Amino acid sequence: MGHPRKALRTTAVGAVSATLIAGTALGLTPAAQAAPNPVRFVDITGDGGTVLKANVVTPANADSSRTYPLIVLPTSWSLPQVEYLAQAQKLADSGYVVVSYNVRGFWQSGGEIEVAGPPDVADASKVIDWALANTPANKRQVGMAGMSYGAGISLLAAAHDKRIKAVASLSGWADLIDSIYSGRTQHFQAGALLDGAGTITGHPSAELQQVFKDFFSSNLSAEPALIAWGKKRSPQTYIDQINANGAAIMLANGWGDTIFPPNQSVKFYEELTGPKRLEYRPGDHATAEVTGLFGLPNDVWTDTERWFDHYLKGEDNGIDREQPVQLKSRSTGGYEGYPDWKSVAATRKKISLAGTTTIHANVDSGADGGVIFLSSILDQLAQLPPMASIPLLPRRWAAVWQSARYASAQQVRGTTKLHTTVTGTKESGTLVAYLYDVGPLGLGKLVSHAPYTFHGQTPGKPFGVDLELFSTAYDVPAGHRLALVVDTVDPLYIEHNPSGAQLTFSSPEHDPSYVSVPLRE
């Protein structure tokens, strides 16, 4: 069973956390100083008397003669309360009262980090109460929005507070367990980033410290408790309440989000019954919307304001008549609109995974999902995803199957699905599947991937594996081929392969193995 590498965890977390925190603080403070609308820094009493540090931005001409729509913005994980000031100014210019607050347990706010637990949800309602009592906010026009942590809290609050009429969830999560424990595999770098950043900037609760301890130590006896803890903090758990309350929900995420991968938001979106919108763009966690925090033009924040303008103000701006699923391919610059998620992939092509292949575990073959943030940002800005030379991958540690060359471009859209039969020499193991776009010289560009871990299997006995790779939008050029690569080690994840383990992949006649690739017509 794998163990976390503490040196890597400390170095990576420290560097990324410091960059995020310093960049936000330095970048947004000037925006606050140049604010044309009145800004107040206030203390708000949250659930159980916990003091929440907050700021309030009101329209420049606000007075007691009228009320304005209210937007509440909980901060992201580890970021200070000035995070949203640039956007708060823009929203106030458009006639909104905006209250942003540092969630409990971070920076100067009181309490401990609850990870969107019941106290965080109750805090959101307390902030709305305070805003309605202390600002010219309209109780019938309440919205919530946020990035990352603030996005998840906003969705959870919409399940518990009927006053919330609209939500914009930016780089948020719907299912916390499916985000950082998908395929029963710990997302090591994502967990380490959250753990380290929370320790640097906040006060983790004893419960959270134990959760991370169990998570990194691969404590299987604690797995049921970990799953229950995560489900309690997942908007997906409360989908019926969200639907009953009827808030208009906008979801925006990045294709390469290494903290909250896109798949878990799709299921949530499909089950929403009220007004809804789903947007996916190239980039990693929050990178698609981060420029908006500095007041720069940004598509995500533009659509967020349009969403609130329609569902809080009642403006006829056409956003409700647009195709509700909006995607931007990682390979092209334009947006594609679809009526629903199932229409994204109009057809599917199967690549046969014929034959029997055995690989040895415990060694990284050279195929991997990259480095948290860095790899997806390179893909976002320069269309340079993680790469591997497919012909040079050592077959001792990597299984490889390839399609024929495609005569025309293939527009991969949606969720690639792997079906295969595995036989392990140990009762536990981890495999990671990668889909590559392979050029004429054999250089593969990563299209998608996903991890899969099993426990309790009988050594030597075959079992079926069905794995959904992370959803994406990627164009494979004519003359290229697709390759499926499977190995057992990836720096993004904790692997569970005992020393000396081997995995055999087969394709029984009665149950052939394949990878099903979703394609746009």
Short mmCIF file of all heavy atoms in Angstrom, two decimals, residues 166-191:
data_model
loop_
_atom_site.label_atom_id
_atom_site.label_comp_id
_atom_site.label_asym_id
_atom_site.label_seq_id
_atom_site.Cartn_x
_atom_site.Cartn_y
_atom_site.Cartn_z
N ALA A 166 -30.73 32.49 -6.55
CA ALA A 166 -29.80 32.20 -7.64
C ALA A 166 -28.42 31.94 -7.06
O ALA A 166 -28.02 32.55 -6.06
CB ALA A 166 -29.75 33.36 -8.64
N VAL A 167 -27.68 31.02 -7.70
CA VAL A 167 -26.33 30.66 -7.27
C VAL A 167 -25.42 30.56 -8.48
O VAL A 167 -25.84 30.04 -9.53
CB VAL A 167 -26.33 29.30 -6.52
CG1 VAL A 167 -24.90 28.83 -6.26
CG2 VAL A 167 -27.09 29.40 -5.20
N ALA A 168 -24.20 31.05 -8.34
CA ALA A 168 -23.16 30.82 -9.34
C ALA A 168 -22.02 30.09 -8.64
O ALA A 168 -21.34 30.65 -7.78
CB ALA A 168 -22.67 32.13 -9.95
N SER A 169 -21.84 28.83 -9.00
CA SER A 169 -20.81 27.99 -8.40
C SER A 169 -19.64 27.91 -9.36
O SER A 169 -19.74 27.28 -10.42
CB SER A 169 -21.38 26.58 -8.12
OG SER A 169 -20.36 25.68 -7.77
N LEU A 170 -18.52 28.54 -9.02
CA LEU A 170 -17.36 28.63 -9.90
C LEU A 170 -16.25 27.73 -9.37
O LEU A 170 -15.73 27.95 -8.27
CB LEU A 170 -16.89 30.08 -9.99
CG LEU A 170 -17.98 31.15 -10.20
CD1 LEU A 170 -17.36 32.53 -10.30
CD2 LEU A 170 -18.84 30.82 -11.41
N SER A 171 -15.88 26.73 -10.14
CA SER A 171 -14.86 25.76 -9.73
C SER A 171 -15.23 25.12 -8.40
O SER A 171 -14.37 24.93 -7.53
CB SER A 171 -13.48 26.42 -9.65
OG SER A 171 -12.99 26.72 -10.94
N GLY A 172 -16.47 24.79 -8.24
CA GLY A 172 -16.93 24.17 -7.01
C GLY A 172 -17.04 22.66 -7.14
O GLY A 172 -16.60 22.06 -8.11
N TRP A 173 -17.65 22.06 -6.14
CA TRP A 173 -17.84 20.61 -6.15
C TRP A 173 -19.30 20.28 -5.92
O TRP A 173 -20.06 21.06 -5.33
CB TRP A 173 -16.99 19.94 -5.06
CG TRP A 173 -17.49 20.11 -3.65
CD1 TRP A 173 -18.34 19.27 -2.98
CD2 TRP A 173 -17.21 21.19 -2.75
NE1 TRP A 173 -18.59 19.75 -1.72
CE2 TRP A 173 -17.91 20.92 -1.55
CE3 TRP A 173 -16.43 22.33 -2.84
CZ2 TRP A 173 -17.85 21.78 -0.45
CZ3 TRP A 173 -16.37 23.19 -1.76
CH2 TRP A 173 -17.08 22.91 -0.58
N ALA A 174 -19.71 19.12 -6.42
CA ALA A 174 -21.03 18.59 -6.13
C ALA A 174 -20.93 17.38 -5.22
O ALA A 174 -21.75 17.17 -4.35
CB ALA A 174 -21.74 18.21 -7.43
N ASP A 175 -19.87 16.58 -5.42
CA ASP A 175 -19.64 15.38 -4.62
C ASP A 175 -18.20 15.43 -4.14
O ASP A 175 -17.27 15.24 -4.91
CB ASP A 175 -19.90 14.13 -5.45
CG ASP A 175 -19.86 12.85 -4.62
OD1 ASP A 175 -19.06 12.78 -3.67
OD2 ASP A 175 -20.63 11.91 -4.93
N LEU A 176 -18.01 15.67 -2.84
CA LEU A 176 -16.66 15.86 -2.31
C LEU A 176 -15.84 14.58 -2.38
O LEU A 176 -14.64 14.61 -2.68
CB LEU A 176 -16.74 16.36 -0.86
CG LEU A 176 -15.44 16.86 -0.24
CD1 LEU A 176 -14.82 17.99 -1.06
CD2 LEU A 176 -15.69 17.33 1.19
N ILE A 177 -16.46 13.44 -2.13
CA ILE A 177 -15.74 12.17 -2.17
C ILE A 177 -15.35 11.83 -3.60
O ILE A 177 -14.22 11.39 -3.87
CB ILE A 177 -16.58 11.05 -1.54
CG1 ILE A 177 -16.73 11.30 -0.03
CG2 ILE A 177 -15.93 9.69 -1.78
CD1 ILE A 177 -15.42 11.36 0.73
N ASP A 178 -16.25 12.03 -4.54
CA ASP A 178 -15.94 11.75 -5.94
C ASP A 178 -14.90 12.73 -6.48
O ASP A 178 -14.31 12.49 -7.53
CB ASP A 178 -17.21 11.80 -6.79
CG ASP A 178 -17.04 11.10 -8.12
OD1 ASP A 178 -16.29 10.11 -8.17
OD2 ASP A 178 -17.66 11.53 -9.11
N SER A 179 -14.67 13.81 -5.76
CA SER A 179 -13.67 14.79 -6.18
C SER A 179 -12.27 14.37 -5.79
O SER A 179 -11.35 14.39 -6.61
CB SER A 179 -13.98 16.17 -5.58
OG SER A 179 -15.19 16.69 -6.08
N ILE A 180 -12.06 14.03 -4.53
CA ILE A 180 -10.70 13.77 -4.06
C ILE A 180 -10.45 12.30 -3.72
O ILE A 180 -9.38 11.93 -3.27
CB ILE A 180 -10.35 14.64 -2.83
CG1 ILE A 180 -11.28 14.35 -1.66
CG2 ILE A 180 -10.40 16.12 -3.20
CD1 ILE A 180 -10.89 15.06 -0.37
N TYR A 181 -11.47 11.45 -4.00
CA TYR A 181 -11.32 10.02 -3.73
C TYR A 181 -11.98 9.21 -4.84
O TYR A 181 -12.55 8.15 -4.61
CB TYR A 181 -11.95 9.71 -2.36
CG TYR A 181 -11.62 8.34 -1.78
CD1 TYR A 181 -10.31 7.92 -1.63
CD2 TYR A 181 -12.63 7.48 -1.37
CE1 TYR A 181 -10.02 6.68 -1.09
CE2 TYR A 181 -12.36 6.24 -0.82
CZ TYR A 181 -11.03 5.84 -0.68
OH TYR A 181 -10.74 4.61 -0.14
N SER A 182 -11.93 9.74 -6.07
CA SER A 182 -12.59 9.06 -7.18
C SER A 182 -11.88 7.75 -7.49
O SER A 182 -10.67 7.61 -7.31
CB SER A 182 -12.58 9.95 -8.43
OG SER A 182 -11.28 10.09 -8.95
N GLY A 183 -12.62 6.77 -7.95
CA GLY A 183 -12.05 5.46 -8.22
C GLY A 183 -11.45 4.83 -6.98
O GLY A 183 -10.56 4.00 -7.07
N ARG A 184 -11.94 5.24 -5.83
CA ARG A 184 -11.46 4.74 -4.52
C ARG A 184 -9.96 5.00 -4.35
O ARG A 184 -9.27 4.24 -3.69
CB ARG A 184 -11.78 3.25 -4.39
CG ARG A 184 -12.04 2.79 -2.97
CD ARG A 184 -12.43 1.34 -2.90
NE ARG A 184 -12.58 0.88 -1.52
CZ ARG A 184 -12.77 -0.39 -1.16
NH1 ARG A 184 -12.86 -1.33 -2.10
NH2 ARG A 184 -12.88 -0.72 0.11
N THR A 185 -9.50 6.09 -4.96
CA THR A 185 -8.07 6.42 -4.96
C THR A 185 -7.88 7.82 -4.39
O THR A 185 -8.52 8.77 -4.85
CB THR A 185 -7.50 6.38 -6.38
OG1 THR A 185 -7.85 5.12 -7.00
CG2 THR A 185 -6.00 6.54 -6.38
N GLN A 186 -6.99 7.96 -3.40
CA GLN A 186 -6.73 9.28 -2.83
C GLN A 186 -6.02 10.17 -3.85
O GLN A 186 -4.99 9.78 -4.40
CB GLN A 186 -5.87 9.18 -1.57
CG GLN A 186 -6.51 8.40 -0.45
CD GLN A 186 -5.96 6.99 -0.37
OE1 GLN A 186 -5.79 6.32 -1.39
NE2 GLN A 186 -5.65 6.54 0.84
N HIS A 187 -6.59 11.36 -4.08
CA HIS A 187 -5.93 12.34 -4.93
C HIS A 187 -4.89 13.06 -4.06
O HIS A 187 -5.18 14.04 -3.37
CB HIS A 187 -6.96 13.32 -5.49
CG HIS A 187 -7.92 12.68 -6.45
ND1 HIS A 187 -8.48 13.36 -7.51
CD2 HIS A 187 -8.42 11.42 -6.52
CE1 HIS A 187 -9.28 12.57 -8.19
NE2 HIS A 187 -9.26 11.37 -7.61
N PHE A 188 -3.68 12.54 -4.11
CA PHE A 188 -2.64 12.93 -3.17
C PHE A 188 -2.28 14.41 -3.24
O PHE A 188 -2.28 15.12 -2.23
CB PHE A 188 -1.39 12.07 -3.40
CG PHE A 188 -0.16 12.59 -2.71
CD1 PHE A 188 -0.07 12.59 -1.33
CD2 PHE A 188 0.90 13.09 -3.44
CE1 PHE A 188 1.06 13.07 -0.68
CE2 PHE A 188 2.04 13.57 -2.81
CZ PHE A 188 2.12 13.57 -1.43
N GLN A 189 -1.95 14.90 -4.43
CA GLN A 189 -1.51 16.28 -4.54
C GLN A 189 -2.64 17.25 -4.19
O GLN A 189 -2.40 18.28 -3.56
CB GLN A 189 -0.97 16.56 -5.94
CG GLN A 189 0.35 15.87 -6.23
CD GLN A 189 0.94 16.27 -7.58
OE1 GLN A 189 0.55 17.26 -8.19
NE2 GLN A 189 1.91 15.49 -8.05
N ALA A 190 -3.88 16.93 -4.57
CA ALA A 190 -5.01 17.79 -4.23
C ALA A 190 -5.21 17.83 -2.72
O ALA A 190 -5.39 18.90 -2.12
CB ALA A 190 -6.27 17.29 -4.92
N GLY A 191 -5.19 16.66 -2.07
CA GLY A 191 -5.35 16.62 -0.63
C GLY A 191 -4.24 17.33 0.10
O GLY A 191 -4.47 18.04 1.09
#
